[in-house]
Amino acid sequence: MREYKLTDMESKFADIIWTNEPIPSGDLVKLCDEELSWKKSTTYTMLKRLENKGIFKNKSGMVSALVKKDEFYAEQSKQFVEETFDGSLPKFLAAFTRSKRLSDKEIDELQRLIDEHKEG
């Protein structure tokens, strides 16, 4: 998967599309006016930017995702661990749990994930 980086405003815009897709571009303009106080030109400029990044497409006035929200954030998480913790998930979890105690439910969920991904 490509490396995706979004600014805060691009992320807010992407979330609007993911929440409402597929969405006619005219409706997207109205939503962005209501939620972000954007003009039509701003919406289309931002849409073009995210199309160029390969995240969304605007075909015949219908905007939809090329990359689904869960896929996007999974890739963002992977990139963060790669860049910040040399790709080590255990180092990430150690750093995360230094400042936040995990609940029994969270520990059970992590153990379930580990068990599902064990090679064996």
Side-chain angles (χ1 to χ4, degrees), residues 62-81:
M62 188 62 68
V63 179
S64 59
L66 294 171
V67 178
K68 298 298 179 198
K69 186 176 184 175
D70 59 341
E71 295 168 359
F72 176 81
Y73 285 111
E75 187 61 25
Q76 288 290 98
S77 299
K78 184 176 135 195
Q79 288 175 20
F80 175 77
V81 171

Side-chain angles (χ1 to χ4, degrees), residues 13-80:
F13 181 65
D15 282 334
I16 290 171
I17 296 173
W18 280 318
T19 301
N20 296 284
E21 74 163 317
I23 182 171
S25 58
D27 291 352
L28 181 59
V29 168
K30 290 175 190 166
L31 268 177
C32 289
D33 178 36
E34 292 168 11
E35 295 187 28
L36 304 171
S37 300
W38 284 2
K39 295 181 180 186
K40 180 179 179 179
S41 60
T42 305
T43 299
Y44 281 109
T45 298
M46 186 66 76
L47 179 57
K48 194 65 173 164
R49 192 183 305 171
L50 295 187
E51 282 182 274
N52 291 338
K53 290 184 178 190
I55 300 171
F56 298 106
K57 68 178 177 180
N58 182 8
K59 185 170 183 182
S60 302
M62 188 62 68
V63 179
S64 59
L66 294 171
V67 178
K68 298 298 179 198
K69 186 176 184 175
D70 59 341
E71 295 168 359
F72 176 81
Y73 285 111
E75 187 61 25
Q76 288 290 98
S77 299
K78 184 176 135 195
Q79 288 175 20
F80 175 77

